[in-house]
Amino acid sequence: MPDIFLSYSREDQPTARRYAEALQREGFSVWWDQALRSGEDYDQVTEDALQQARAVVVLWSKTSIASRWVRAEATLADRNGTLMPVMIEDCRRPIMFELKHSADLSRWKGDAGDPAWQGYVADVRRLVQREVPPESGATAGAGPVAAAPKIEVSLRSRSVLIAAAVVLLGAGSMALWLLRGHDAVPSATVAQLTAESTARIRADATAVVPASVAVMPFANLTGEAGKDYFGDGMAEELLDALAQIKGLRVASRTSSFAYRGRDADIKQIARELGVATIIEGSVRSAGDRIRITAQLISAESGYHLWSQTYDRDFKDLFKLQDDLAREIVTAFSQTMGADFPGFVSRRPATANLEAYMAYMQAFHAWQTPGGENPMPLAKRAVELDPNFARAHWMLAAVESDGGALAEAELHAKRARELDPDLAWDVLGNIQSRRGHWIEAEETFRSAPKDFTEADNRAANALSTLWPTGQLRNALRELGRAHELYPHVIPISSALGALQLTLGNDAEAMRALKRLAELGVGPDANSFRALRYGIAMHAGQLDEAAAMAVEQLPEHLRKEGGADTIRLIHAAIARPEKRQAAVDALGQLLARTRPDDRRPRISAQSWYTQLGAIDAAYRVAAEYERQYAGKYPLLSWSWLWTGEMRPFRQDPRFHDLMAKVGMLDFWKKYGPPDECELVAGRLSCH
């Protein structure tokens, strides 16, 4: 086992040699590709050295940041907790590594006494000398694994949290920012909700078996970023197969895949997910051949309980997935004394390998911000195999995101015909967006049994309770989901926004800090939303206005929109400016384009804050006429913020709510907070 694996681009070989020799003089054993011997299998030797090294020194430069090999090696090292990056020249690191500290040795020329060099060497030495498992005999020496909290698997929740996050924190983020003046939930109530959640989780933990596992995304070692989808697909298939094993608790995909690109070691991941073991692996492909490496790791000891490498033809992919799941179940039985029933081979989701590959590519593109358009890929998967249930689900999710609700519903229903456990998430989302609130609630309540409690609570809170104004119930559900999934960004984002809506500024600030810990950058919509709301509550109107300007469409900024936004925020604190702000806002709206939905949503809140309730209702009516059945007004939950109280107190609010289908929901499940139904009419305080 080498102490150090050295990763660099070919153009930096002279610098790499200087680092290799300097590290060897410090007493480390160093592997770099100059150590290869004639006749050795390059990729196998490299992969083995990378996996076994106690520290991976990545030399970041203008050429290495563009090297897919270097990026892949850095990704795997980051996942293994062995990454020790170095800046050898001024450059912009790949975005996924921007939050990982890199030692700046761009001015180091080889002086062994240089303080910066010695500081870096000390950091490497601490990593190399940490307690590591022996190279052999780990399985036999491993003790019993501690029981883990109960986490059941969710493979059908994939679109709920993503779609809800887009709805609440993406397209509607400007509206969510305007969160002023709502009566706060008493702190005692918040504390009570937290205590109830903690007590329930602790009660669950007492009934847990040690056999629990999380499957991490497999690293792509092909050197081609475009094949990242394949590693995700392998991990997902393995997760799905393991979920069928009675007695084995499997962390949901929602939770385990949330660690992609994050700086977290195995023990931290296992602790946060509440599992006793972790499965990680890598994928390398060349031509028609594929190599899969997988390891089962004890979170308590860090030992590899099982490891295996498979070399197969692509045409044997489905059998490979089946063999991998079978051997891992066997490994659990042998190393942990778990008594599992015999593994039963599953039928592949499709017999068409090309359709399966298109589906995996579509799914990866769908969940990658700014990535490839998933629509053509999803359509191709359906065309290649019209009976491929997951492909129909994928196409339904993509079409729903794009507002094509009728087409999405057709494919969602077809997916459910082929697999009753699929597509309930897409259907529930479509129903709520159409204003069919009771149907949406019933759909979420009928979620399949393998849908986790945390996902179910989050989906219910985001898709029905919050949009219908039942904020305290939404806080209860979303708070409990966050207790189970504290590391899942959409849940943390939504909880922070909900706390801000309720006026709980301190909780919102904690959520903002949590997002930063999870690696959410300051330019992300969720981060901006909380920053804006907190600034508004603190009376920092100039700062809030600057953030609002950044969210305006570019053509509106160029046409004087920035001055209008600044005037609006100034007028909030200075009543004498309000009429001028109302007039300027009307002129701004006259310049909007059909796809400028965000300014139109925000305008309803701005008008309300400026005292122009009639104008707010005119914009609401125009918005509903234009986007009804596609992007409905109440998909964004901004109507229940504090500054919208005058809007809700207006008699026209009842008529608007009746138009979008809320009244029947409230008659069945109760009225929204701070409102009541009197003789069939909604009255809000």
Side-chain angles (χ1 to χ4, degrees), residues 272-305:
E272 292 183 357
L273 294 183
V275 295
T277 57
I278 297 286
I279 294 174
E280 59 181 11
S282 63
V283 176
R284 187 189 297 272
S285 63
D288 294 330
R289 297 288 292 176
I290 180 174
R291 172 175 292 162
I292 303 289
T293 298
Q295 301 97 27
L296 175 65
I297 304 170
S298 166
E300 183 180 39
S301 66
Y303 290 3
H304 283 192
L305 301 174

PDB file of all heavy atoms in Angstrom, residues 272-305:
ATOM      1  N   GLU A 272     -24.480  10.137   9.732  1.00  0.00           N
ATOM      2  CA  GLU A 272     -25.587  10.995   9.335  1.00  0.00           C
ATOM      3  C   GLU A 272     -26.719  10.213   8.682  1.00  0.00           C
ATOM      4  O   GLU A 272     -27.890  10.581   8.810  1.00  0.00           O
ATOM      5  CB  GLU A 272     -25.082  12.086   8.394  1.00  0.00           C
ATOM      6  CG  GLU A 272     -24.155  13.088   9.083  1.00  0.00           C
ATOM      7  CD  GLU A 272     -23.727  14.217   8.154  1.00  0.00           C
ATOM      8  OE1 GLU A 272     -24.112  14.192   6.966  1.00  0.00           O
ATOM      9  OE2 GLU A 272     -23.006  15.116   8.614  1.00  0.00           O
ATOM     10  N   LEU A 273     -26.366   9.134   7.982  1.00  0.00           N
ATOM     11  CA  LEU A 273     -27.405   8.324   7.341  1.00  0.00           C
ATOM     12  C   LEU A 273     -27.979   7.271   8.287  1.00  0.00           C
ATOM     13  O   LEU A 273     -29.015   6.690   7.991  1.00  0.00           O
ATOM     14  CB  LEU A 273     -26.847   7.641   6.093  1.00  0.00           C
ATOM     15  CG  LEU A 273     -26.450   8.542   4.925  1.00  0.00           C
ATOM     16  CD1 LEU A 273     -25.988   7.712   3.747  1.00  0.00           C
ATOM     17  CD2 LEU A 273     -27.609   9.426   4.514  1.00  0.00           C
ATOM     18  N   GLY A 274     -27.295   7.021   9.410  1.00  0.00           N
ATOM     19  CA  GLY A 274     -27.778   6.018  10.346  1.00  0.00           C
ATOM     20  C   GLY A 274     -27.634   4.611   9.829  1.00  0.00           C
ATOM     21  O   GLY A 274     -28.550   3.797   9.959  1.00  0.00           O
ATOM     22  N   VAL A 275     -26.490   4.303   9.209  1.00  0.00           N
ATOM     23  CA  VAL A 275     -26.253   2.955   8.692  1.00  0.00           C
ATOM     24  C   VAL A 275     -24.953   2.406   9.262  1.00  0.00           C
ATOM     25  O   VAL A 275     -24.096   3.152   9.727  1.00  0.00           O
ATOM     26  CB  VAL A 275     -26.191   2.935   7.147  1.00  0.00           C
ATOM     27  CG1 VAL A 275     -27.528   3.324   6.553  1.00  0.00           C
ATOM     28  CG2 VAL A 275     -25.089   3.842   6.629  1.00  0.00           C
ATOM     29  N   ALA A 276     -24.821   1.090   9.229  1.00  0.00           N
ATOM     30  CA  ALA A 276     -23.638   0.434   9.775  1.00  0.00           C
ATOM     31  C   ALA A 276     -22.577   0.179   8.722  1.00  0.00           C
ATOM     32  O   ALA A 276     -21.412  -0.029   9.054  1.00  0.00           O
ATOM     33  CB  ALA A 276     -24.038  -0.897  10.429  1.00  0.00           C
ATOM     34  N   THR A 277     -22.964   0.168   7.460  1.00  0.00           N
ATOM     35  CA  THR A 277     -22.005  -0.119   6.389  1.00  0.00           C
ATOM     36  C   THR A 277     -22.249   0.802   5.200  1.00  0.00           C
ATOM     37  O   THR A 277     -23.341   1.356   5.026  1.00  0.00           O
ATOM     38  CB  THR A 277     -22.109  -1.582   5.908  1.00  0.00           C
ATOM     39  OG1 THR A 277     -23.453  -1.835   5.488  1.00  0.00           O
ATOM     40  CG2 THR A 277     -21.724  -2.554   7.004  1.00  0.00           C
ATOM     41  N   ILE A 278     -21.208   0.929   4.389  1.00  0.00           N
ATOM     42  CA  ILE A 278     -21.269   1.758   3.185  1.00  0.00           C
ATOM     43  C   ILE A 278     -20.790   0.921   2.003  1.00  0.00           C
ATOM     44  O   ILE A 278     -19.816   0.182   2.116  1.00  0.00           O
ATOM     45  CB  ILE A 278     -20.360   2.995   3.309  1.00  0.00           C
ATOM     46  CG1 ILE A 278     -20.820   3.896   4.453  1.00  0.00           C
ATOM     47  CG2 ILE A 278     -20.300   3.764   1.997  1.00  0.00           C
ATOM     48  CD1 ILE A 278     -22.070   4.679   4.178  1.00  0.00           C
ATOM     49  N   ILE A 279     -21.471   1.045   0.886  1.00  0.00           N
ATOM     50  CA  ILE A 279     -21.008   0.433  -0.360  1.00  0.00           C
ATOM     51  C   ILE A 279     -20.561   1.552  -1.287  1.00  0.00           C
ATOM     52  O   ILE A 279     -21.311   2.504  -1.531  1.00  0.00           O
ATOM     53  CB  ILE A 279     -22.106  -0.390  -1.043  1.00  0.00           C
ATOM     54  CG1 ILE A 279     -22.471  -1.604  -0.189  1.00  0.00           C
ATOM     55  CG2 ILE A 279     -21.651  -0.843  -2.429  1.00  0.00           C
ATOM     56  CD1 ILE A 279     -23.651  -2.384  -0.727  1.00  0.00           C
ATOM     57  N   GLU A 280     -19.343   1.470  -1.769  1.00  0.00           N
ATOM     58  CA  GLU A 280     -18.859   2.409  -2.760  1.00  0.00           C
ATOM     59  C   GLU A 280     -18.149   1.626  -3.855  1.00  0.00           C
ATOM     60  O   GLU A 280     -17.785   0.464  -3.669  1.00  0.00           O
ATOM     61  CB  GLU A 280     -17.917   3.439  -2.132  1.00  0.00           C
ATOM     62  CG  GLU A 280     -16.699   2.843  -1.471  1.00  0.00           C
ATOM     63  CD  GLU A 280     -15.810   3.901  -0.841  1.00  0.00           C
ATOM     64  OE1 GLU A 280     -16.255   5.061  -0.739  1.00  0.00           O
ATOM     65  OE2 GLU A 280     -14.673   3.571  -0.472  1.00  0.00           O
ATOM     66  N   GLY A 281     -17.958   2.259  -4.977  1.00  0.00           N
ATOM     67  CA  GLY A 281     -17.326   1.542  -6.076  1.00  0.00           C
ATOM     68  C   GLY A 281     -16.923   2.478  -7.185  1.00  0.00           C
ATOM     69  O   GLY A 281     -17.020   3.702  -7.082  1.00  0.00           O
ATOM     70  N   SER A 282     -16.444   1.899  -8.264  1.00  0.00           N
ATOM     71  CA  SER A 282     -15.999   2.673  -9.409  1.00  0.00           C
ATOM     72  C   SER A 282     -16.343   1.938 -10.688  1.00  0.00           C
ATOM     73  O   SER A 282     -16.547   0.717 -10.692  1.00  0.00           O
ATOM     74  CB  SER A 282     -14.488   2.937  -9.338  1.00  0.00           C
ATOM     75  OG  SER A 282     -13.767   1.716  -9.392  1.00  0.00           O
ATOM     76  N   VAL A 283     -16.400   2.696 -11.774  1.00  0.00           N
ATOM     77  CA  VAL A 283     -16.734   2.160 -13.087  1.00  0.00           C
ATOM     78  C   VAL A 283     -15.681   2.640 -14.074  1.00  0.00           C
ATOM     79  O   VAL A 283     -15.314   3.816 -14.083  1.00  0.00           O
ATOM     80  CB  VAL A 283     -18.123   2.636 -13.546  1.00  0.00           C
ATOM     81  CG1 VAL A 283     -18.412   2.145 -14.951  1.00  0.00           C
ATOM     82  CG2 VAL A 283     -19.195   2.168 -12.588  1.00  0.00           C
ATOM     83  N   ARG A 284     -15.174   1.707 -14.876  1.00  0.00           N
ATOM     84  CA  ARG A 284     -14.254   2.072 -15.950  1.00  0.00           C
ATOM     85  C   ARG A 284     -14.679   1.281 -17.192  1.00  0.00           C
ATOM     86  O   ARG A 284     -14.914   0.074 -17.111  1.00  0.00           O
ATOM     87  CB  ARG A 284     -12.814   1.723 -15.570  1.00  0.00           C
ATOM     88  CG  ARG A 284     -11.784   2.233 -16.574  1.00  0.00           C
ATOM     89  CD  ARG A 284     -10.413   1.667 -16.261  1.00  0.00           C
ATOM     90  NE  ARG A 284      -9.910   2.075 -14.977  1.00  0.00           N
ATOM     91  CZ  ARG A 284      -9.216   3.183 -14.749  1.00  0.00           C
ATOM     92  NH1 ARG A 284      -8.968   4.005 -15.740  1.00  0.00           N
ATOM     93  NH2 ARG A 284      -8.785   3.481 -13.540  1.00  0.00           N
ATOM     94  N   SER A 285     -14.804   1.969 -18.320  1.00  0.00           N
ATOM     95  CA  SER A 285     -15.217   1.286 -19.542  1.00  0.00           C
ATOM     96  C   SER A 285     -14.238   1.590 -20.660  1.00  0.00           C
ATOM     97  O   SER A 285     -13.618   2.652 -20.696  1.00  0.00           O
ATOM     98  CB  SER A 285     -16.626   1.726 -19.957  1.00  0.00           C
ATOM     99  OG  SER A 285     -16.656   3.102 -20.263  1.00  0.00           O
ATOM    100  N   ALA A 286     -14.107   0.646 -21.554  1.00  0.00           N
ATOM    101  CA  ALA A 286     -13.266   0.805 -22.734  1.00  0.00           C
ATOM    102  C   ALA A 286     -13.844  -0.066 -23.837  1.00  0.00           C
ATOM    103  O   ALA A 286     -13.883  -1.294 -23.713  1.00  0.00           O
ATOM    104  CB  ALA A 286     -11.825   0.404 -22.430  1.00  0.00           C
ATOM    105  N   GLY A 287     -14.327   0.583 -24.894  1.00  0.00           N
ATOM    106  CA  GLY A 287     -14.928  -0.181 -25.981  1.00  0.00           C
ATOM    107  C   GLY A 287     -16.153  -0.930 -25.508  1.00  0.00           C
ATOM    108  O   GLY A 287     -17.057  -0.353 -24.911  1.00  0.00           O
ATOM    109  N   ASP A 288     -16.173  -2.244 -25.742  1.00  0.00           N
ATOM    110  CA  ASP A 288     -17.310  -3.070 -25.346  1.00  0.00           C
ATOM    111  C   ASP A 288     -17.112  -3.719 -23.985  1.00  0.00           C
ATOM    112  O   ASP A 288     -17.924  -4.554 -23.578  1.00  0.00           O
ATOM    113  CB  ASP A 288     -17.551  -4.171 -26.393  1.00  0.00           C
ATOM    114  CG  ASP A 288     -17.993  -3.597 -27.724  1.00  0.00           C
ATOM    115  OD1 ASP A 288     -18.635  -2.525 -27.709  1.00  0.00           O
ATOM    116  OD2 ASP A 288     -17.692  -4.198 -28.767  1.00  0.00           O
ATOM    117  N   ARG A 289     -16.049  -3.352 -23.286  1.00  0.00           N
ATOM    118  CA  ARG A 289     -15.749  -3.945 -21.985  1.00  0.00           C
ATOM    119  C   ARG A 289     -16.025  -2.942 -20.868  1.00  0.00           C
ATOM    120  O   ARG A 289     -15.908  -1.730 -21.050  1.00  0.00           O
ATOM    121  CB  ARG A 289     -14.281  -4.383 -21.907  1.00  0.00           C
ATOM    122  CG  ARG A 289     -13.890  -5.455 -22.894  1.00  0.00           C
ATOM    123  CD  ARG A 289     -14.465  -6.804 -22.546  1.00  0.00           C
ATOM    124  NE  ARG A 289     -13.877  -7.353 -21.322  1.00  0.00           N
ATOM    125  CZ  ARG A 289     -14.273  -8.499 -20.768  1.00  0.00           C
ATOM    126  NH1 ARG A 289     -15.250  -9.205 -21.312  1.00  0.00           N
ATOM    127  NH2 ARG A 289     -13.684  -8.947 -19.671  1.00  0.00           N
ATOM    128  N   ILE A 290     -16.363  -3.478 -19.709  1.00  0.00           N
ATOM    129  CA  ILE A 290     -16.620  -2.651 -18.542  1.00  0.00           C
ATOM    130  C   ILE A 290     -15.983  -3.299 -17.324  1.00  0.00           C
ATOM    131  O   ILE A 290     -15.987  -4.530 -17.187  1.00  0.00           O
ATOM    132  CB  ILE A 290     -18.136  -2.456 -18.313  1.00  0.00           C
ATOM    133  CG1 ILE A 290     -18.382  -1.580 -17.085  1.00  0.00           C
ATOM    134  CG2 ILE A 290     -18.847  -3.786 -18.151  1.00  0.00           C
ATOM    135  CD1 ILE A 290     -19.831  -1.227 -16.891  1.00  0.00           C
ATOM    136  N   ARG A 291     -15.400  -2.487 -16.459  1.00  0.00           N
ATOM    137  CA  ARG A 291     -14.822  -2.982 -15.206  1.00  0.00           C
ATOM    138  C   ARG A 291     -15.521  -2.277 -14.044  1.00  0.00           C
ATOM    139  O   ARG A 291     -15.552  -1.050 -13.973  1.00  0.00           O
ATOM    140  CB  ARG A 291     -13.322  -2.717 -15.144  1.00  0.00           C
ATOM    141  CG  ARG A 291     -12.720  -3.031 -13.770  1.00  0.00           C
ATOM    142  CD  ARG A 291     -11.212  -2.874 -13.778  1.00  0.00           C
ATOM    143  NE  ARG A 291     -10.610  -3.904 -14.597  1.00  0.00           N
ATOM    144  CZ  ARG A 291      -9.367  -3.836 -15.074  1.00  0.00           C
ATOM    145  NH1 ARG A 291      -8.617  -2.779 -14.826  1.00  0.00           N
ATOM    146  NH2 ARG A 291      -8.878  -4.821 -15.811  1.00  0.00           N
ATOM    147  N   ILE A 292     -16.101  -3.070 -13.164  1.00  0.00           N
ATOM    148  CA  ILE A 292     -16.781  -2.555 -11.974  1.00  0.00           C
ATOM    149  C   ILE A 292     -16.019  -3.031 -10.741  1.00  0.00           C
ATOM    150  O   ILE A 292     -15.741  -4.221 -10.593  1.00  0.00           O
ATOM    151  CB  ILE A 292     -18.236  -3.071 -11.879  1.00  0.00           C
ATOM    152  CG1 ILE A 292     -19.020  -2.697 -13.135  1.00  0.00           C
ATOM    153  CG2 ILE A 292     -18.912  -2.524 -10.627  1.00  0.00           C
ATOM    154  CD1 ILE A 292     -19.330  -1.246 -13.267  1.00  0.00           C
ATOM    155  N   THR A 293     -15.684  -2.090  -9.873  1.00  0.00           N
ATOM    156  CA  THR A 293     -15.083  -2.431  -8.584  1.00  0.00           C
ATOM    157  C   THR A 293     -16.028  -1.967  -7.487  1.00  0.00           C
ATOM    158  O   THR A 293     -16.537  -0.841  -7.539  1.00  0.00           O
ATOM    159  CB  THR A 293     -13.717  -1.756  -8.408  1.00  0.00           C
ATOM    160  OG1 THR A 293     -12.832  -2.226  -9.418  1.00  0.00           O
ATOM    161  CG2 THR A 293     -13.117  -2.070  -7.050  1.00  0.00           C
ATOM    162  N   ALA A 294     -16.295  -2.817  -6.516  1.00  0.00           N
ATOM    163  CA  ALA A 294     -17.193  -2.462  -5.413  1.00  0.00           C
ATOM    164  C   ALA A 294     -16.592  -2.925  -4.095  1.00  0.00           C
ATOM    165  O   ALA A 294     -15.892  -3.941  -4.046  1.00  0.00           O
ATOM    166  CB  ALA A 294     -18.566  -3.099  -5.617  1.00  0.00           C
ATOM    167  N   GLN A 295     -16.859  -2.136  -3.036  1.00  0.00           N
ATOM    168  CA  GLN A 295     -16.387  -2.487  -1.688  1.00  0.00           C
ATOM    169  C   GLN A 295     -17.522  -2.294  -0.691  1.00  0.00           C
ATOM    170  O   GLN A 295     -18.291  -1.332  -0.788  1.00  0.00           O
ATOM    171  CB  GLN A 295     -15.205  -1.611  -1.256  1.00  0.00           C
ATOM    172  CG  GLN A 295     -13.992  -1.673  -2.155  1.00  0.00           C
ATOM    173  CD  GLN A 295     -13.955  -0.529  -3.135  1.00  0.00           C
ATOM    174  OE1 GLN A 295     -14.491   0.536  -2.886  1.00  0.00           O
ATOM    175  NE2 GLN A 295     -13.324  -0.749  -4.270  1.00  0.00           N
ATOM    176  N   LEU A 296     -17.606  -3.201   0.252  1.00  0.00           N
ATOM    177  CA  LEU A 296     -18.513  -3.082   1.392  1.00  0.00           C
ATOM    178  C   LEU A 296     -17.647  -2.726   2.599  1.00  0.00           C
ATOM    179  O   LEU A 296     -16.739  -3.476   2.959  1.00  0.00           O
ATOM    180  CB  LEU A 296     -19.260  -4.394   1.623  1.00  0.00           C
ATOM    181  CG  LEU A 296     -20.160  -4.458   2.866  1.00  0.00           C
ATOM    182  CD1 LEU A 296     -21.316  -3.477   2.737  1.00  0.00           C
ATOM    183  CD2 LEU A 296     -20.692  -5.887   3.055  1.00  0.00           C
ATOM    184  N   ILE A 297     -17.904  -1.584   3.234  1.00  0.00           N
ATOM    185  CA  ILE A 297     -17.029  -1.054   4.271  1.00  0.00           C
ATOM    186  C   ILE A 297     -17.777  -0.925   5.585  1.00  0.00           C
ATOM    187  O   ILE A 297     -18.912  -0.423   5.628  1.00  0.00           O
ATOM    188  CB  ILE A 297     -16.480   0.325   3.858  1.00  0.00           C
ATOM    189  CG1 ILE A 297     -15.766   0.227   2.511  1.00  0.00           C
ATOM    190  CG2 ILE A 297     -15.540   0.894   4.912  1.00  0.00           C
ATOM    191  CD1 ILE A 297     -15.416   1.562   1.920  1.00  0.00           C
ATOM    192  N   SER A 298     -17.153  -1.365   6.654  1.00  0.00           N
ATOM    193  CA  SER A 298     -17.710  -1.192   7.993  1.00  0.00           C
ATOM    194  C   SER A 298     -17.507   0.248   8.433  1.00  0.00           C
ATOM    195  O   SER A 298     -16.382   0.749   8.465  1.00  0.00           O
ATOM    196  CB  SER A 298     -17.031  -2.135   8.983  1.00  0.00           C
ATOM    197  OG  SER A 298     -17.338  -1.746  10.321  1.00  0.00           O
ATOM    198  N   ALA A 299     -18.590   0.931   8.783  1.00  0.00           N
ATOM    199  CA  ALA A 299     -18.478   2.325   9.218  1.00  0.00           C
ATOM    200  C   ALA A 299     -17.785   2.430  10.570  1.00  0.00           C
ATOM    201  O   ALA A 299     -17.099   3.406  10.854  1.00  0.00           O
ATOM    202  CB  ALA A 299     -19.868   2.957   9.295  1.00  0.00           C
ATOM    203  N   GLU A 300     -17.936   1.417  11.406  1.00  0.00           N
ATOM    204  CA  GLU A 300     -17.359   1.464  12.748  1.00  0.00           C
ATOM    205  C   GLU A 300     -15.840   1.338  12.703  1.00  0.00           C
ATOM    206  O   GLU A 300     -15.117   2.097  13.355  1.00  0.00           O
ATOM    207  CB  GLU A 300     -17.951   0.352  13.608  1.00  0.00           C
ATOM    208  CG  GLU A 300     -17.456   0.368  15.051  1.00  0.00           C
ATOM    209  CD  GLU A 300     -18.078  -0.749  15.864  1.00  0.00           C
ATOM    210  OE1 GLU A 300     -18.244  -1.854  15.326  1.00  0.00           O
ATOM    211  OE2 GLU A 300     -18.403  -0.510  17.033  1.00  0.00           O
ATOM    212  N   SER A 301     -15.332   0.398  11.919  1.00  0.00           N
ATOM    213  CA  SER A 301     -13.898   0.136  11.911  1.00  0.00           C
ATOM    214  C   SER A 301     -13.183   0.744  10.711  1.00  0.00           C
ATOM    215  O   SER A 301     -11.972   0.950  10.739  1.00  0.00           O
ATOM    216  CB  SER A 301     -13.644  -1.373  11.908  1.00  0.00           C
ATOM    217  OG  SER A 301     -14.099  -1.950  10.687  1.00  0.00           O
ATOM    218  N   GLY A 302     -13.922   1.026   9.653  1.00  0.00           N
ATOM    219  CA  GLY A 302     -13.311   1.483   8.420  1.00  0.00           C
ATOM    220  C   GLY A 302     -12.756   0.346   7.580  1.00  0.00           C
ATOM    221  O   GLY A 302     -12.187   0.565   6.514  1.00  0.00           O
ATOM    222  N   TYR A 303     -12.891  -0.905   8.045  1.00  0.00           N
ATOM    223  CA  TYR A 303     -12.355  -2.063   7.333  1.00  0.00           C
ATOM    224  C   TYR A 303     -13.224  -2.398   6.123  1.00  0.00           C
ATOM    225  O   TYR A 303     -14.435  -2.220   6.122  1.00  0.00           O
ATOM    226  CB  TYR A 303     -12.318  -3.290   8.237  1.00  0.00           C
ATOM    227  CG  TYR A 303     -11.309  -3.235   9.347  1.00  0.00           C
ATOM    228  CD1 TYR A 303     -10.515  -2.117   9.565  1.00  0.00           C
ATOM    229  CD2 TYR A 303     -11.159  -4.329  10.201  1.00  0.00           C
ATOM    230  CE1 TYR A 303      -9.600  -2.076  10.593  1.00  0.00           C
ATOM    231  CE2 TYR A 303     -10.241  -4.308  11.237  1.00  0.00           C
ATOM    232  CZ  TYR A 303      -9.465  -3.173  11.433  1.00  0.00           C
ATOM    233  OH  TYR A 303      -8.567  -3.133  12.462  1.00  0.00           O
ATOM    234  N   HIS A 304     -12.574  -2.933   5.099  1.00  0.00           N
ATOM    235  CA  HIS A 304     -13.301  -3.491   3.964  1.00  0.00           C
ATOM    236  C   HIS A 304     -13.798  -4.877   4.363  1.00  0.00           C
ATOM    237  O   HIS A 304     -13.016  -5.783   4.615  1.00  0.00           O
ATOM    238  CB  HIS A 304     -12.392  -3.599   2.742  1.00  0.00           C
ATOM    239  CG  HIS A 304     -12.168  -2.286   2.066  1.00  0.00           C
ATOM    240  ND1 HIS A 304     -11.596  -2.164   0.828  1.00  0.00           N
ATOM    241  CD2 HIS A 304     -12.443  -1.025   2.460  1.00  0.00           C
ATOM    242  CE1 HIS A 304     -11.538  -0.895   0.487  1.00  0.00           C
ATOM    243  NE2 HIS A 304     -12.034  -0.181   1.463  1.00  0.00           N
ATOM    244  N   LEU A 305     -15.107  -5.037   4.410  1.00  0.00           N
ATOM    245  CA  LEU A 305     -15.679  -6.350   4.727  1.00  0.00           C
ATOM    246  C   LEU A 305     -15.685  -7.258   3.495  1.00  0.00           C
ATOM    247  O   LEU A 305     -15.680  -8.473   3.617  1.00  0.00           O
ATOM    248  CB  LEU A 305     -17.111  -6.177   5.240  1.00  0.00           C
ATOM    249  CG  LEU A 305     -17.275  -5.298   6.492  1.00  0.00           C
ATOM    250  CD1 LEU A 305     -18.746  -5.102   6.787  1.00  0.00           C
ATOM    251  CD2 LEU A 305     -16.561  -5.933   7.684  1.00  0.00           C
TER     252      LEU A 305
END
